[in-house]
Amino acid sequence: MAQPRSSRPSAIVEGALRRAILAAADDARVRRFVNAHGARLGGARFVAGETPDTCVAVLRALNERGLHTNTTLLGEGVHDQAQAEAAVVSYESLITRLVGEGLRANVALKLTHLGLELGEELAYENVRRLVEHAEALGSFIRIDMEQSAFVDATLGIYRRLRESGLTGVGCVLQSYLYRSERDLEALLPLAPNLRLVKGAYLEPPDVAYPRKADVDAAYLRLLEASLTGAGYTAVATHDERLIEHAIRFAEQHGIPRDRFEFQLLYGVRPQLQLELVRRGFKVLVATPFGPEWYPYLMRRLAERPANALFLLRNLVRR
Ligand SMILES: Cc1cc2nc3c(=O)[nH]c(=O)nc-3n(C[C@H](O)[C@H](O)[C@H](O)COP(=O)(O)OP(=O)(O)OC[C@H]3O[C@@H](n4cnc5c(N)ncnc54)[C@H](O)[C@@H]3O)c2cc1C
C-alpha cells in the first residue's frame, strides 16, 4: 500500500530541513552571509529588486502576461513609531503610484511592519489610513498573516476595519494552525476576502499541525468552507492537487469564477501561473521588493529545501 506523502522518508527529511532553515534564519552569522551573497546567488529570483522602480517594471511585465499582482515593501518587526510611520508613508506613495500607472496591482502588508509589536492601536490606526487611501483610489489591501502570536490582534484589526464600513481589505488564514477553522467560522458572517495559505513560520506542535498531511487536509476543509461561504477566496498555494481540487469543487457546487482566484509567489511555478491564466482563471502573483528581503528569502528556502541547495550550488560554482 502507498505510504501517505508526509510519512515517506523524503518528507521526513524535508520537514527536518525546513525546521533547520527556519531556526538558522535567526542566527546572526547566517544572516550576515545570506545578506552579503544571497541575492547574487539566486535569491533575487523571489524578489522584484530593492526599489519601487525595479518592482513596477516587474509588475508591468507580469500584467502584460495576463497576471494580476500584489506587492509588499519587505520589512517586518519595526522598533519605533518613526519606522512604522516611514512604512505608512512609503505605502501611501506606492499605492498612489500603482493606481496612477494603471497596474493591476495592490498592496499586501504585514502589521508588524506598521508597528503591531509597539501597540495594537498604533497598527490599527496605521493600516486604517492605508485602507482608506487605497479604497479612495479604488484599490485594495491584503493584510498578511504572521507568527501565531499575532493572529488574535491581526484578526481583531481586520474585524474592526470591516465593522467600521471599510471593504477594500482582506486577510489571511493559515491551515497549519489548529484554530483556523474556528477563525473562519467566526469571519464568514463578514463575507470576508480571505487568502488561504498553509503557513510559513516555525510554530510549536501545541498551536500548529506538525505533519504536512494534516496541514494539507486542513487546507482542504478551509477551502471548501470558504468557497461555499459568502466571501471571496484567494487560493494561495503551489500545490497542484489543491488547485485542481478547488477547480473541481467550484464546478461541482456552481461557484462562479469571480468568487475566487489563485495566488502564487513570484519566482515559484511560473509555468503553472500562466497555464491557469490560459484556462481562464484569475491568477495573482505576490511580488515583493525592498532591501529588507532576508526573512522573506529564508521562508522561501525553508518551503523547498531544494531552493537552498540551488543557492549553495551557485556558491560552489563561482
Ligand atoms: C500568494 C501567497 C501569499 C502567502 N501569504 C502568506 C501569509 O500571509 N502568511 C503565511 O504564513 N504564509 C503565506 N504564504 C506562504 C504559504 O504559507 C506556504 O509557506 C507556501 O505557499 C508553500 O506552501 P504551498 O501551499 O505552496 O504547498 P507545499 O506543499 O509547500 O508546496 C507544493 C509544491 O509547490 C512548490 N513550492 C512550494 N513552495 C515553493 C518555493 N518556495 N519554491 C519553489 N517551489 C515551491 C513545490 O513544488 C512543492 O512541491 C503565502 C503563499 C502564497 C502563494
Side-chain angles (χ1 to χ4, degrees):
M1 205 171 77
Q3 272 181 306
R5 285 207 312 186
S6 66
S7 58
R8 286 183 195 152
S10 61
I12 294 166
V13 171
E14 276 212 7
L17 278 172
R18 174 181 141 77
R19 284 188 291 278
I21 293 171
L22 286 174
D26 288 333
D27 185 288
R29 283 163 307 178
V30 174
R31 177 182 280 270
R32 269 199 305 279
F33 179 81
V34 176
N35 267 322
H37 306 290
R40 206 162 24 90
L41 296 179
R45 156 186 157 197
F46 299 106
V47 176
E50 296 200 355
T51 67
D53 286 343
T54 56
C55 176
V56 159
V58 172
L59 299 180
R60 182 166 296 114
L62 291 166
N63 280 178
E64 280 164 4
R65 283 180 226 142
L67 297 156
H68 294 247
T69 55
N70 73 31
T71 188
T72 300
L73 169 59
L74 290 170
E76 39 201 274
V78 298
H79 301 298
D80 61 51
Q81 215 159 320
Q83 286 179 324
E85 176 63 21
V88 175
V89 170
S90 300
Y91 269 126
E92 265 170 351
S93 72
L94 182 61
I95 293 164
T96 308
R97 178 159 181 193
L98 298 177
V99 174
E101 299 218 15
L103 293 166
R104 274 176 290 151
N106 66 275
V107 152
L109 52 78
K110 293 188 174 18
L111 290 182
T112 60
H113 197 190
L114 303 188
L116 183 59
E117 285 167 290
L118 305 171
E120 193 169 326
E121 206 51 34
L122 175 70
Y124 172 72
E125 287 303 331
N126 283 340
V127 72
R128 194 170 58 85
R129 246 168 80 187
L130 291 175
V131 175
E132 282 172 352
H133 181 63
E135 238 188 62
L137 297 176
S139 192
F140 173 86
I141 292 199
R142 171 81 54 195
I143 302 175
D144 288 346
M145 190 57 84
E146 304 175 69
Q147 291 91 332
S148 58
F150 301 118
V151 174
D152 273 334
T154 303
L155 294 181
I157 287 174
Y158 175 69
R159 178 174 288 280
R160 278 176 77 186
L161 293 167
R162 291 296 315 278
E163 287 176 350
S164 75
L166 293 164
T167 52
V169 59
C171 66
V172 178
L173 290 179
Q174 299 153 320
S175 73
Y176 64 11
L177 295 186
Y178 303 128
R179 60 176 287 169
S180 289
E181 286 176 73
R182 285 192 311 279
D183 288 331
L184 175 62
E185 220 174 280
L187 285 171
L188 280 179
L190 293 172
N193 185 318
L194 274 184
R195 174 203 284 160
L196 300 180
V197 301
K198 292 187 185 178
Y201 298 88
L202 190 58
E203 296 288 356
D206 56 323
V207 299
Y209 295 107
R211 292 175 59 239
K212 184 167 163 26
D214 294 327
V215 178
D216 293 354
Y219 193 103
L220 213 74
R221 294 193 295 274
L222 287 173
L223 178 65
E224 294 185 356
S226 181
L227 283 173
T228 46
Y232 182 87
T233 309
V235 184
T237 180
H238 314 96
D239 186 331
E240 284 189 68
R241 286 180 324 144
L242 288 173
I243 291 172
E244 292 304 328
H245 183 86
I247 293 171
R248 265 195 320 275
F249 185 85
E251 271 166 15
Q252 283 161 2
H253 291 78
I255 297 158
R257 289 186 179 193
D258 62 2
R259 293 273 313 289
F260 66 96
E261 69 186 46
F262 294 104
Q263 297 192 349
L264 297 93
L265 299 175
Y266 179 61
V268 180
R269 307 294 314 269
Q271 291 310 319
L272 175 61
Q273 297 170 8
L274 293 174
E275 176 60 17
L276 288 167
V277 172
R278 198 193 56 72
R279 289 167 67 185
F281 295 101
K282 179 175 173 186
V283 179
L284 178 146
V285 180
T287 311
F289 77 100
E292 302 287 323
W293 45 262
Y294 174 78
Y296 180 83
L297 174 63
M298 294 307 277
R299 288 196 290 275
R300 301 297 76 86
L301 300 185
E303 277 156 9
R304 190 162 175 266
N307 289 340
L309 295 178
F310 167 73
L311 251 67
L312 289 175
R313 257 204 315 274
N314 287 348
L315 179 68
V316 174
R317 273 201 202 118
R318 287 173 63 228

